[in-house]
Amino acid sequence: MQKKTEYFTDDQLRYILKTDDSIFIEDLKKKARDITKSVFSNKIYIRGLVEISNYCKQGCYYCGLNRENKNIKRYRLSKEDIIKSCDFGYSIGFRTFVFQGGEDPIQDDDFFTDLISEVKKRHSDCAITLSLGIRSKKSYQKLKNAGADRYLLRHESAQESVFNKLHPNDQSLKSRIESIKYLKEIGFQTGTGFMVQAPFSSIESHIKDIKLIRNLKPQMIGIGPFIPNKNTKFKNENHGESEITTRLLAILRIENPFSLIPSTTALNSIDDEGRIKGILSGANVVMPNLSPKMAKENYNLYDNKKSSGLESANALKELNDYFKKYGYEIEISRGDYLGE
């Protein structure tokens, strides 16, 4: 098993992200996947994604769920809807459920503590991951006490000037980082990450992202290419590149051998081979969508999101067959962080 963690210098990172040397980059990605296999064997962990609400009180300029967007069909799933999705997911093999949503003021702490408790009661061998944005420390503690296991909170950009251009002034990078640290402190398996090639970002800002992740030492790392949404101020911006995203995945795997790193839907949404390219660059998690059809259609963080075919939980067998062609197989377990 890989024991010694390797960190790149800033100049090495610049070279990796700029070079046209395809042989060098393929060697880098091979090193990343070799490290992944040394820790996780050929197993790809699956998480069942439930998109619980597209209401959001925040105004993030890049996000299609932002509070200013009037051209979106809003919805929120009931506890019964969410539990039904989990019951179905459990029946076909999922042992981790990811509840992802906007910062919906109606779905409050009581809603989530009841929901988490009920899902844990029904499926005690499962893990629950939450991706619900910025909340108070008191709220995070309640969610942890109710039985939630993991929390995903991407920092989005570690360069403050970029972060501030992507968010209104009622948000701050400092408070987001404080929340990530607190989540770790109270015992969540904690994830962070960033958008690749978001507006105003650069190679230098991505180097800051990598260095922040070194500092935070998250158990999970989620990155994906920026993709514009037609109802935001960045609607005419170009999406991030698959190649830069996979290079960054390889870097993050080499520097974080034990972290759980997904090959994201966003990557697969800009590149038909994005899912496997992510895996072959060191990712080891995929999150098929368990959401009801109505939610899949209206949870639009960005345009042209894939939610059918192999992105759907219904295609679990086909997804496993797909991975087997590349020497991998789905792992039916909670897939907890192993630690060093």
Side-chain angles (χ1 to χ4, degrees), residues 235-253:
K235 62 184 178 182
N236 295 320
E237 297 289 331
N238 294 324
H239 63 67
E241 300 168 21
S242 171
E243 177 58 31
I244 297 300
T245 304
T246 53
R247 292 184 190 193
L248 285 163
L249 282 170
I251 291 165
L252 291 166
R253 170 55 70 205

Side-chain angles (χ1 to χ4, degrees), residues 5-8 13 210 214 250-257:
T5 300
E6 174 183 347
Y7 293 119
F8 296 98
L13 291 172
I210 293 164
R214 287 177 197 165
I251 291 165
L252 291 166
R253 170 55 70 205
I254 292 166
E255 293 201 359
N256 303 273

Side-chain angles (χ1 to χ4, degrees), residues 183-315:
L183 287 162
K184 286 197 73 177
E185 180 185 317
I186 64 174
F188 274 108
Q189 294 178 47
T190 304
T192 192
F194 56 94
M195 287 183 292
V196 177
Q197 296 178 302
F200 310 110
S201 66
S202 64
I203 286 175
E204 296 307 310
S205 68
H206 287 329
I207 290 174
K208 288 181 183 291
D209 290 319
I210 293 164
K211 292 165 90 168
L212 176 61
I213 286 171
R214 287 177 197 165
N215 176 262
L216 293 172
K217 295 180 170 57
Q219 288 91 1
M220 302 172 287
I221 303 169
I223 71 167
F226 164 78
I227 306 177
N229 181 289
K230 62 181 179 296
N231 295 310
T232 70
K233 65 188 292 184
F234 298 131
K235 62 184 178 182
N236 295 320
E237 297 289 331
N238 294 324
H239 63 67
E241 300 168 21
S242 171
E243 177 58 31
I244 297 300
T245 304
T246 53
R247 292 184 190 193
L248 285 163
L249 282 170
I251 291 165
L252 291 166
R253 170 55 70 205
I254 292 166
E255 293 201 359
N256 303 273
F258 297 92
S259 292
L260 295 152
I261 303 178
S263 184
T264 62
T265 298
L267 177 57
N268 204 48
S269 293
I270 64 161
D271 183 338
D272 288 342
E273 297 299 317
R275 182 191 302 102
I276 195 61
K277 286 181 180 179
I279 298 298
L280 295 176
S281 301
N284 68 319
V285 173
V286 292
M287 295 195 285
N289 201 319
L290 277 169
S291 306
K293 184 173 183 290
M294 170 272 297
K296 290 179 184 178
E297 292 172 349
N298 293 290
Y299 195 83
N300 294 319
L301 304 174
Y302 49 83
D303 290 343
N304 302 314
K305 181 192 76 172
K306 286 190 177 179
S307 60
S308 59
L310 295 186
E311 295 295 337
S312 173
N314 295 298

Side-chain angles (χ1 to χ4, degrees), residues 125-162:
D125 56 335
C126 289
I128 294 178
T129 302
L130 303 175
S131 181
L132 305 172
I134 296 286
R135 304 175 78 86
S136 69
K137 288 184 177 181
K138 185 178 179 181
S139 174
Y140 289 140
Q141 188 66 66
K142 286 182 178 180
L143 300 176
K144 185 72 177 69
N145 292 346
D149 302 278
R150 307 174 188 144
Y151 203 103
L152 304 171
L153 182 61
R154 299 203 313 186
H155 65 267
E156 301 299 9
S157 176
Q159 184 167 323
E160 192 166 15
S161 61
V162 176

